[in-house]
Amino acid sequence: MNQQKTKNVSILVLIILSLFLFYYSFQKSNENKNLQNIFLEEKAELQQDLDEMIKDYTDVVVGKKRLADRLEVELIKMKNLRDSIKLLKSDNFGLIRKYRSRIASLERENKKLFIQIDSLNSANDALTQENVIANEILQQKDSVNETLTEKNKELEAKVAIGGIIKTSPVKAVAMKERSSGKLTSTSRSSRTDAFRINFDLLENPITSAGEKRVYIQIIDENKNVVAPKGKTDLKNGQKVQYTDSLEVNYNNNRLSLVSLVLVNRDDIKKGKYVISAFVDGVYSGNTTIKLR
């Protein structure tokens, strides 16, 4: 009798344990589905924000070539960012914060551009209609920027640990502008309208996350800086002149960067050009290209 009772108790324990494991598996499955749904919603929202921004820029008509070129550069940045977001997989949920920050950074960089367009259109009666469009777009950008900034603050996490951010090899190519406005690669100095530079900030789990300043410097054979924008102090005390600067939100994960530097082709001579990168006040690497 005691043996039968013990057997019944063992069966009951096994049944209870099986039910608990089933319930636990069911709960974990629901949690994973919820996380995937949140990821898809966040991803779709980022893509929608970028689609709206790209449409706004595409609808703007600017008669002045320099401003039109700058608009084209910003469009390229936004389209590249949108393509990167489309390729995000659900196991990259942590990258959502990085892309929100990059969109907000684009908004801050482009605000001055739209103010300049607004000023130009106001000074020219023939561009009155374009001036109205620019004002409307600027208001839309301010609204989108405020929304993205609030969301970015909710996701932002800071770690106060130092470290040097290393980069992948710097790559650069000279670009020429076709009559259609499209930029394609070239090896001829007389046709160079821009330099496209790209590299990655590598993963560094111990450095402090947050806003990082990246500088690009292009030097010709005579040690002259091409299209200089200003000077900056490095952490070693050296002062360098730079061609372009980028402000990025680094979240300790690998981050791809692209810089498109517009130049006057009349200023570009034959010879070797050295393109260097400086990240957070530290020299990171360089590459060279030779133009015929």
Side-chain angles (χ1 to χ4, degrees), residues 182-224:
K182 182 179 180 181
L183 291 172
T184 58
S185 62
T186 183
S187 61
R188 301 181 67 88
S189 61
S190 60
R191 296 181 181 177
T192 298
D193 298 304
F195 289 90
R196 184 180 186 274
I197 305 101
N198 67 283
F199 55 90
D200 294 348
L201 302 187
L202 300 183
E203 180 180 356
N204 187 335
I206 65 170
T207 194
S208 59
E211 297 294 331
K212 304 293 181 184
R213 179 65 69 172
V214 178
Y215 293 96
I216 307 295
Q217 181 193 67
I218 303 175
I219 298 180
D220 62 18
E221 287 190 341
N222 296 321
K223 306 301 181 182
N224 296 318

Side-chain angles (χ1 to χ4, degrees), residues 100-110 145 211 246-249:
R100 284 201 183 282
S101 178
R102 290 185 65 183
I103 294 174
S105 179
L106 279 176
E107 290 294 330
R108 291 192 297 270
E109 293 173 6
N110 296 339
N145 185 48
E211 297 294 331
L246 304 171
E247 184 176 336
V248 299
N249 189 289

Side-chain angles (χ1 to χ4, degrees), residues 91-103:
D91 57 353
N92 288 330
F93 189 83
L95 294 179
I96 292 294
R97 172 170 50 189
K98 179 191 74 175
Y99 285 115
R100 284 201 183 282
S101 178
R102 290 185 65 183
I103 294 174

